[in-house]
Amino acid sequence: QVHLVESGGASVQAGGSLRLSCAASEHIVSVYTMAWFRQAPGSEREGVAALVTDGTTAYADSVRGRFSISKDNAKSTLYLQMNSLKAEDTAMYYCAAVYTGGGYTTEARLSPSYKHWGQGTQVTVPS
């Protein structure tokens, strides 16, 4: 059974940086598309960044140029480097693995069609 465990969330001032990590229980990081999502109170879950096995990436317009998704296959860990954080980045951040959607574009990997989800890690950027 696949387990995804996120870490690295914290409260950080606007303009600051954080790096989130997602440790996977199996070597799915190297085999399947992985992604980061976030959900703020009262809002729908939003795709933030996706990383396809061929190395291509997709980012939400709201984070492009500030966030970067990467992985370490040997550690079976997915990362999200977040820079220039804003108050609107405040949310619970979730790691997801194994894309199950029907879209074939990299951007389609930002839809919440994934088989496995972590429990989330909270990121707070006070306004």
Side-chain angles (χ1 to χ4, degrees), residues 14-79:
S17 297
L18 281 176
R19 189 177 79 158
L20 305 183
S21 299
C22 171
S25 60
E26 301 177 11
H27 293 289
I28 60 173
V29 171
S30 61
V31 178
Y32 295 103
T33 293
M34 305 281 294
W36 287 98
F37 289 78
R38 67 185 181 187
Q39 188 167 20
S43 299
E44 294 185 353
R45 191 165 293 190
E46 172 192 22
V48 174
L51 177 58
V52 186
T53 52
D54 64 0
T56 56
T57 57
Y59 295 94
D61 290 342
S62 58
V63 307
R64 188 175 291 112
R66 299 188 298 122
F67 290 12
S68 178
I69 189 171
S70 63
K71 64 180 180 178
D72 185 329
N73 289 338
K75 296 181 178 179
S76 197
T77 300
L78 181 74
Y79 302 101

Side-chain angles (χ1 to χ4, degrees), residues 3-10 20-23 35-39 45 91-96 116-123:
H3 293 285
L4 302 173
V5 180
E6 302 95 335
S7 62
L20 305 183
S21 299
C22 171
W36 287 98
F37 289 78
R38 67 185 181 187
Q39 188 167 20
R45 191 165 293 190
M92 184 72 77
Y93 283 72
Y94 299 91
C95 172
H116 304 289
W117 294 85
Q119 293 301 306
T121 186
Q122 178 68 38
V123 172

